Amino acid sequence: MVGFGPADMPPTAMVKFVGAGTAACIADLFTFPLDTAKVRLQIQGETKGTANASHGKALQYRGVFGTITTMVRTEGPRSLYNGLVAGLQRQMSFASVRIGLYDSVKQFYTKGSEHVGVGSRLLAGCTTGAMAVAIAQPTDVVKVRFQAQASSGVSRRYHGTMDAYRTIAKEEGIRGLWKGTSPNIARNAIVNCTELVTYDLIKDFLLRSTPMTDNLPCHFTSAFGAGFCTTVIASPVDVVKTRYMNSALGQYSSALNCALAMLTKEGPMAFYKGFMPSFLRLGSWNVVMFVTYEQLKRAMMAARHNWTAPL
């Protein structure tokens, strides 16, 4: 698929929309354990560890692979994929909008001009990121709740994806499914701008200034750089978003209150809890997603061309 020439067959908006959602789901399948480890580390200071039903003690997670090892030992391998169904639902609705519509919104802001400035890219990233959160927020809330809960014991809050949607709506109201929308919009404005704009800029630079062509090595390098930049910038908002989404009803009055509580009780480094799994996850997720997305666009356009070509 690497050989398909994108310049000869520019992808349609629908191809980008479907391709982005599909590529994001594939990336989630590969990186979900790292995301789960990140969530457990991010909430650790708040929960003082996850209750171990068999020993009545609090589990302390140490590092990415230590967290994964502890979860496998105490909850089984399947615990690493807690919330996967909601995660895939999230990506199909979320990534399709924030990534798949990015180019279309960017063209809208530039009125079809070939010259696209950084400001237009940032504005497009903010727009599609906010649109995606408005649509997919309930799936994100359920995903985080599943990842945060232990797979066994009294701390188990939900027994299935649909049960989680029903329980949250019943106990916290419909607004509970949109809990953390404000920090999530802030996070995704940052993530979307950093991720997509950085990928865009790195890719443009490599194509202009190096012998690289619009192919796999270029996509890989651009995606890895975008993942690192995004992790550094977005980690503080991501931690607050996770804590606030996972909090009990009434625990925090707002996302800002959650951030202030973290700062006063745990110090500024609390905002970078789970940084390593965040980077491992975002870096690998970006590589898998962008490489897959680029190839899917080409494959889908080639298939569309072959389908419509006269026999």
Side-chain angles (χ1 to χ4, degrees):
M1 288 189 289
V2 175
F4 291 135
D8 298 329
M9 295 181 292
T12 64
M14 182 55 68
V15 164
K16 292 177 184 178
F17 187 85
V18 174
T22 304
C25 286
I26 292 170
D28 251 26
L29 289 172
F30 281 98
T31 63
F32 206 79
L34 292 170
D35 193 38
T36 302
K38 177 202 74 173
V39 169
R40 292 291 181 97
L41 285 167
Q42 286 178 337
I43 67 169
Q44 184 163 251
E46 175 184 58
T47 61
K48 302 300 181 186
T50 303
N52 186 332
S54 60
H55 297 89
K57 297 178 181 179
L59 294 175
Q60 291 296 317
Y61 300 117
R62 298 182 183 278
V64 187
F65 299 107
T67 300
I68 290 174
T69 301
T70 299
M71 290 179 64
V72 171
R73 188 181 70 248
T74 59
E75 303 172 48
R78 292 181 63 182
S79 65
L80 297 174
Y81 283 90
N82 277 353
L84 178 62
V85 173
L88 295 179
Q89 291 172 350
R90 174 181 179 269
Q91 292 299 355
M92 277 310 298
S93 54
F94 187 73
S96 296
V97 174
R98 79 176 184 91
I99 299 171
L101 297 184
Y102 171 73
D103 285 336
S104 299
V105 174
K106 185 171 63 176
Q107 290 171 5
F108 171 78
Y109 284 130
T110 58
K111 295 180 172 59
S113 171
E114 290 186 4
H115 175 71
V116 182
V118 175
S120 298
R121 299 178 202 244
L122 291 173
L123 192 57
C126 287
T127 301
T128 58
M131 288 167 59
V133 171
I135 294 169
Q137 181 70 5
T139 62
D140 207 6
V141 172
V142 171
K143 178 185 80 76
V144 167
R145 297 280 183 96
F146 263 105
Q147 289 175 312
Q149 76 173 4
S151 293
S152 59
V154 295
S155 61
R156 189 171 178 82
R157 298 165 78 179
Y158 312 110
H159 300 278
T161 305
M162 297 311 297
D163 175 60
Y165 286 116
R166 284 193 298 267
T167 302
I168 294 171
K170 181 179 178 181
E171 295 180 354
E172 303 174 40
I174 295 298
R175 291 180 62 183
L177 290 169
W178 268 267
K179 189 174 188 178
T181 299
S182 295
N184 211 13
I185 286 177
R187 174 191 179 271
N188 280 290
I190 294 170
V191 167
N192 223 35
C193 287
T194 308
E195 192 175 77
L196 295 177
V197 173
T198 304
Y199 179 82
D200 241 3
L201 292 173
I202 294 175
K203 183 179 172 183
D204 285 352
F205 171 79
L206 292 174
L207 293 176
R208 282 197 323 268
S209 308
T210 72
M212 284 188 178
T213 58
D214 191 2
N215 232 316
L216 186 59
C218 176
H219 303 157
F220 181 93
T221 305
S222 303
F224 187 83
F228 179 76
C229 294
T230 303
T231 308
V232 172
I233 294 173
S235 275
V237 183
D238 191 36
V239 175
V240 173
K241 180 212 78 167
T242 299
R243 291 281 188 95
Y244 188 61
M245 280 184 178
N246 187 58
S247 63
L249 186 63
Q251 183 174 353
Y252 302 114
S253 59
S254 65
L256 180 60
N257 175 249
C258 176
L260 290 173
M262 286 174 56
L263 182 62
T264 54
K265 293 178 182 177
E266 303 171 57
M269 290 308 295
F271 294 100
Y272 280 91
K273 281 195 171 184
F275 178 83
M276 188 51 67
S278 288
F279 171 61
L280 289 174
R281 194 259 174 181
L282 262 180
S284 56
W285 191 91
N286 270 271
V287 168
V288 176
M289 196 286 298
F290 277 115
V291 169
T292 305
Y293 178 43
E294 296 279 9
Q295 301 308 312
L296 276 175
K297 286 191 295 185
R298 301 181 186 192
M300 290 168 72
M301 286 308 296
R304 182 172 179 269
H305 174 75
N306 292 336
W307 180 263
T308 56
L311 296 176

